[in-house]
């Protein structure tokens, strides 16, 4: 079995503290991964506004946002100006690439994208995506070759922007396996490699899952399901407070002969002639507030051999 590891890096603190820690951890475990960076301003403090939205208080209680993100981070974009992550921590991003890890674009302004993209049109979406690409290029000297949307939030124009940028694959959705996305009757050429496993923060506090049991629960989830998996982790969580849980999970996968790889390696191992076309649907996943982009039903049965495009009920893992 193959597991693609996708690291979402949301904040300046996650870039500075979480990313180097994860690099060390991956190297020690013989694992590869893709790091997706937020390259513009860190406005995480604005996410505090979500506290007042229905359904979010439970999550705050469970994951202890302040403890995980740090008080300074929660002031960015509210009481303090949001620092430009690419400018302040570009050296760490470049070092990630120099160490041989795949790098890609997570967002320009993570909070802004997550909060607004589903309500915005073509101009806004292409502008934000281009800002991300430009800031990414300022850091690395080349355009992003892959991307993964902040908070799994997308609109039809965002899929078009990825295609226009020449991306061959991206990971913006939750689902069961690789597919070409179809939205409003249009099929996009940028292949989606959806996250298939629940994230650590979605598990914390649910069904009495304690920190010490997280690795086991995730490992079981990956074993219970046939086929290759995609696991999204966060520099702010697994790279800082939940390092031990990730270390244990990587050890379990290693003992089971599972190879942990980047999205790029995962993509290159696919038989693209057998990848289905699936609709994109908005939906929810247990343990996460709000709606996000999910892999919907298969629309092109000619190309579906060997794949069921049905969205996975994540609850089946628990
Ligand atoms: Zn993120």
């Amino acid at each position: 079995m193959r597991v693609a590891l996708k690291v979402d890096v949301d904040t300046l603190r996650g870039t500075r503290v979480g990313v180097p820690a994860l690099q060390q951890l991956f190297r020690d475990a013989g694992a590869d991964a893709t790091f997706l960076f937020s390259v513009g301003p860190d406005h995480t403090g604005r996410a505090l506004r979500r506290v007042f939205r229905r359904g979010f208080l439970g999550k705050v209680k469970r994951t202890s946002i302040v403890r995980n993100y740090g008080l300074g981070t929660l002031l960015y974009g509210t009481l303090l100006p949001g620092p430009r992550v690419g400018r302040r921590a570009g050296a760490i991003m470049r070092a990630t690439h120099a160490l041989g890890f795949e790098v890609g674009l997570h967002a320009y302004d993570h909070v802004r994208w997550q909060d607004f993209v589903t309500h915005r049109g073509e101009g806004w979406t292409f502008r934000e995506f281009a800002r991300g690409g430009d800031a990414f290029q300022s850091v690395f000297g080349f355009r992003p070759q892959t991307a993964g949307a902040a908070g799994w939030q997308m609109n039809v124009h965002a899929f078009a922007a990825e295609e226009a940028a020449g991306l061959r694959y991206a990971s913006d959705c939750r689902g069961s396996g690789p597919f070409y996305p179809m939205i409003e009757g249009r099929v996009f050429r940028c292949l989606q490699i959806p996250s298939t496993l629940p994230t650590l923060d979605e598990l914390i506090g649910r069904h009495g899952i304690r920190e010490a049991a997280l690795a086991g629960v995730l490992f079981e989830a990956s074993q219970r399901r046939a086929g290759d998996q995609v696991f999204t982790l966060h520099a702010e969580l697994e790279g800082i407070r939940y390092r031990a849980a990730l270390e244990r999970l990587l050890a379990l996968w290693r003992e089971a002969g599972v190879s942990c790889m980047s999205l790029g390696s995962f993509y290159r191992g696919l038989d693209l002639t057998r990848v289905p076309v699936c609709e994109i649907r908005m939906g929810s996943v247990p343990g996460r507030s709000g709606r996000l982009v999910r892999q919907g039903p298969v629309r092109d049965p000619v190309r579906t051999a060997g794949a069921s495009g049905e969205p996975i009920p994540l609850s089946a893992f628990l």
Side-chain angles (χ1 to χ4, degrees), residues 235-288:
E236 290 74 16
L237 298 175
E238 286 91 336
I240 303 178
R241 186 162 130 58
Y242 295 100
R243 267 186 81 181
L246 178 63
E247 200 169 2
R248 178 81 190 121
L249 177 59
L250 293 176
L252 288 170
W253 273 331
R254 193 175 190 174
E255 285 161 21
V258 172
S259 63
C260 293
M261 60 184 60
S262 66
L263 290 170
S265 296
F266 190 91
Y267 172 80
R268 287 186 287 278
L270 293 174
D271 177 358
L272 295 181
T273 63
R274 294 167 70 87
V275 171
V277 171
C278 296
E279 278 181 37
I280 288 289
R281 294 267 172 91
M282 293 302 283
S284 60
V285 293
R288 186 169 294 281

Side-chain angles (χ1 to χ4, degrees), residues 76-196:
Y76 292 156
T78 52
L79 294 176
L80 297 173
R84 309 270 164 161
V85 188
R87 286 187 203 161
R88 300 275 289 272
I92 290 169
M93 296 181 188
R94 284 186 293 275
T96 306
H97 183 244
L99 285 167
F101 292 104
E102 182 180 42
V103 293
L105 178 65
H106 190 34
Y108 177 67
D109 181 334
H110 191 285
V111 171
R112 195 170 140 86
W113 182 276
Q114 191 169 359
D115 282 359
F116 295 114
V117 70
T118 56
H119 313 295
R120 292 293 190 268
E122 184 173 14
W124 187 96
T125 306
F126 269 76
R127 207 159 43 240
E128 284 294 307
F129 191 79
R131 276 182 183 146
D134 292 347
F136 185 97
Q137 181 158 22
S138 297
V139 171
F140 293 101
F142 55 87
R143 307 295 293 180
Q145 304 295 303
T146 189
W152 297 280
Q153 299 297 308
M154 292 285 278
N155 64 26
V156 63
H157 312 296
F159 288 98
E162 288 181 337
E163 184 180 272
L167 270 53
R168 284 173 301 151
Y169 57 92
S171 182
D172 304 302
C173 311
R174 305 295 288 260
S176 57
F179 67 100
Y180 288 101
M182 176 174 163
I183 313 141
E184 297 173 10
R186 180 175 166 190
V187 178
F188 292 91
R189 286 191 301 273
C190 177
L191 180 121
Q192 280 294 319
I193 303 174
S195 298
T196 63

Side-chain angles (χ1 to χ4, degrees), residues 8-10 38 106 110 114 149-151 234 236:
D8 287 355
V9 188
D10 296 359
S38 301
H106 190 34
H110 191 285
Q114 191 169 359
H234 286 86
E236 290 74 16

Side-chain angles (χ1 to χ4, degrees), residues 182 273-278 297-309:
M182 176 174 163
T273 63
R274 294 167 70 87
V275 171
V277 171
C278 296
V298 171
R299 284 305 299 270
D300 184 352
V302 178
R303 297 158 79 177
T304 57
S308 120

